[in-house]
Amino acid sequence: VPKVPPLDEDVARELGAFLKRTREASGASQEDVAHRAGISRNHLQVIEMGLSDRASKKPFNPHLSVLLNMCRALDVSMSDVIIDVFGPPSGVVVEVVEGTHKGAN
């Protein structure tokens, strides 16, 4: 089984920062979001710092299920996360409609 490569530290920090900004903009506490996402408050704190855990300080590289649960808990689409963190895919025009991103070729 191939190992999953870690995310670049800058990308991991930006992902954590996006999730934190989104949580704060919603007015939700870490406890509320963590509960809705099925993770501990400590885990959410570490994620928002862009880390996998406090001890190793490795960049956050979430399982897809954790990221999906975070998106659901924050009421944000996975495409919003990807576009905010990585930017829109090349050759795609992104149109924001009612708070969502829509791609058109």
Side-chain angles (χ1 to χ4, degrees):
V1 176
K3 281 185 116 176
V4 176
L7 284 182
D8 178 87
E9 289 180 23
D10 293 335
V11 172
R13 272 194 301 274
E14 182 54 37
L15 176 57
F18 172 82
L19 295 170
K20 182 177 182 177
R21 284 191 309 272
T22 303
R23 177 185 58 77
E24 289 175 340
S26 75
S29 69
Q30 286 181 328
E31 291 86 3
D32 291 338
V33 171
H35 178 74
R36 289 193 308 254
I39 60 176
S40 70
R41 185 177 141 284
N42 180 61
H43 191 186
L44 178 58
Q45 286 177 328
V46 173
I47 288 170
E48 288 184 351
M49 292 187 299
L51 301 173
S52 287
D53 63 70
R54 293 181 200 274
S56 71
K57 304 235 187 270
K58 289 182 181 174
F60 177 52
N61 193 6
H63 288 271
L64 182 58
S65 60
V66 170
L67 192 52
L68 285 171
N69 287 342
M70 291 289 302
C71 288
R72 288 183 186 125
L74 293 167
D75 195 28
V76 63
S77 72
M78 184 69 82
S79 61
D80 286 341
V81 174
I82 292 168
I83 290 169
D84 190 86
V85 173
F86 295 101
S90 61
V92 175
V93 176
V94 176
E95 177 185 347
V96 178
V97 179
E98 297 180 27
T100 63
H101 292 94
K102 289 192 167 188
N105 291 331

